[in-house]
Amino acid sequence: MKPPAYWFDGSRPPLHARLLARLYGAATRLRLKLLRPRKVARPVVVIGNLIAGGSGKTPLTIAVVERLRAEGWTPGVASRGYGREQAGTPRWVEATTDPRLGGDEPVLIAARTGAFVRVDKDRVRAARKLIEAGCDVVVCDDGLQHYRLRRDLEIEVIDGRRRYGNGWLIPAGPMREPAARSAGCDFRVLNTGVDDALEAGFGEWPMRLQTGRVLPLAGGRPLPLSAFAGQRVHAVAGIGHPERFFDTLREAGIAVVPHAFDDHHRYSAEDLQFGSDLPVLMTEKDAVKCMRFVGERHFSVPVSAQLPEAFWIALLDRLRALAR
């Protein structure tokens, strides 16, 4: 669902939204007072954001899992699996799991990393299952506001262009929690996407999303993204901020015919019928949900999160200290 324009365009939210935002804030504070966080037997790293919608959490989650495995850890991923069917049923997620049951982001993470991925509305229970399976660190994809699971490290991901919008709480603005909450996070990662003009501020780590190849969804050899430079394509994005994907393609010299869908949209074959035979490029998150009806003109554009080596050194040092 597209957010109201006043969240990000500088205009004043309507009175009813501001009143509801105050009620939302009061309810959030009350919930925090009543909660008693549960600790699990291994370190927990939560990757999340303070605004509603996407900010680049999943690419960072994948990067963290891959780096931890390279350093000898056995990470497991806990996720709610937002928007999935049978949401009350916990399950293990693999690359072959139907995204309708496992959730689009968990299936993508499983496919990219090969790590244990557990979806469960109860993240404490998910974390314990991952530890029983042999994981020595639990990485939560999203869940910054899921305080029932005690976390050892928090990583906030910030959209480099939109940041906190107007700063108001939902529904007057995009904030799930007040901006002051950011100061309590151990790491603050600024998603600059492909925009070299965006710079991280004090206390922020820059994260750039790199695209190197394009994958034909019907099978075949990967292509460089540059192979589509100078062409018109249909660009499909059902993510929190579709313009980020469209801008990535434009930066590569591709003429974009944009098709934005709601985050976690459930695709049908009709959604990809655009009345012309142009190539269709989509995000990985969308591609995992479209495999049943793709053809030779459909492609996925994977992205990889690139962060300074100093970020990884700092994160690994903190984790090693926790594991002692």
Side-chain angles (χ1 to χ4, degrees), residues 47 55-61 63-64 155-160 188-195 198-200 204-210 244 304-308 311-312:
I47 300 172
S55 60
K57 297 183 296 292
T58 300
L60 180 57
T61 299
V64 167
I155 304 175
E156 179 198 3
V157 187
I158 305 166
D159 185 312
R188 301 174 68 233
V189 171
L190 186 77
N191 180 7
T192 65
V194 296
D195 192 340
L198 292 174
E199 295 184 0
E204 297 174 345
W205 297 93
M207 178 178 76
R208 182 174 173 81
L209 299 182
Q210 286 191 343
R244 186 187 302 119
S304 297
Q306 305 294 320
L307 292 104
F311 168 81
W312 298 115

Side-chain angles (χ1 to χ4, degrees), residues 265-288:
H265 178 71
R266 292 186 182 181
Y267 288 94
S268 65
E270 290 73 23
D271 289 329
L272 302 184
Q273 295 176 2
F274 303 123
S276 66
D277 197 33
L278 298 175
V280 178
L281 273 59
M282 64 184 72
T283 73
E284 281 185 291
K285 178 175 158 179
D286 296 300
V288 298

Side-chain angles (χ1 to χ4, degrees), residues 121-298:
K121 292 173 66 175
D122 185 340
R123 286 184 178 85
V124 176
R125 185 168 57 192
R128 289 173 175 162
K129 283 293 183 181
L130 289 165
I131 294 166
E132 288 176 10
C135 298
D136 53 15
V137 57
V138 176
V139 180
C140 291
D141 178 42
D142 206 358
L144 204 59
Q145 289 77 37
H146 189 87
Y147 288 102
R148 188 166 171 270
L149 174 60
R150 180 174 169 181
R151 67 285 316 270
D152 299 282
L153 289 175
E154 292 183 327
I155 304 175
E156 179 198 3
V157 187
I158 305 166
D159 185 312
R161 291 191 178 179
R162 301 188 298 172
R163 287 197 172 257
Y164 297 147
N166 63 11
W168 278 83
L169 291 173
I170 295 170
M175 303 299 294
R176 297 172 174 177
E177 296 181 270
R181 167 72 171 85
S182 177
C185 294
D186 301 275
F187 297 91
R188 301 174 68 233
V189 171
L190 186 77
N191 180 7
T192 65
V194 296
D195 192 340
D196 291 323
L198 292 174
E199 295 184 0
F202 179 77
E204 297 174 345
W205 297 93
M207 178 178 76
R208 182 174 173 81
L209 299 182
Q210 286 191 343
T211 58
R213 56 181 186 164
V214 177
L215 305 179
L217 294 180
R221 293 184 177 181
L223 300 170
L225 187 59
S226 59
F228 295 87
Q231 296 187 44
R232 290 179 72 236
V233 305
H234 293 292
V236 173
I239 57 178
H241 187 30
E243 280 299 322
R244 186 187 302 119
F245 178 64
F246 303 149
D247 288 344
T248 297
L249 301 184
R250 293 180 183 119
E251 287 282 334
I254 299 170
V256 171
V257 180
H259 302 277
F261 292 86
D262 289 342
D263 198 9
H264 305 288
H265 178 71
R266 292 186 182 181
Y267 288 94
S268 65
E270 290 73 23
D271 289 329
L272 302 184
Q273 295 176 2
F274 303 123
S276 66
D277 197 33
L278 298 175
V280 178
L281 273 59
M282 64 184 72
T283 73
E284 281 185 291
K285 178 175 158 179
D286 296 300
V288 298
K289 296 180 287 187
C290 296
M291 295 303 296
R292 292 173 295 125
F293 37 78
V294 296
E296 294 182 356
R297 304 290 284 173
H298 296 95

Side-chain angles (χ1 to χ4, degrees), residues 34-50:
L34 297 176
L35 275 175
R36 295 293 180 267
R38 306 286 184 86
K39 183 174 176 58
V40 295
R42 295 291 184 268
V44 173
V45 179
V46 172
I47 300 172
N49 60 346
L50 295 183

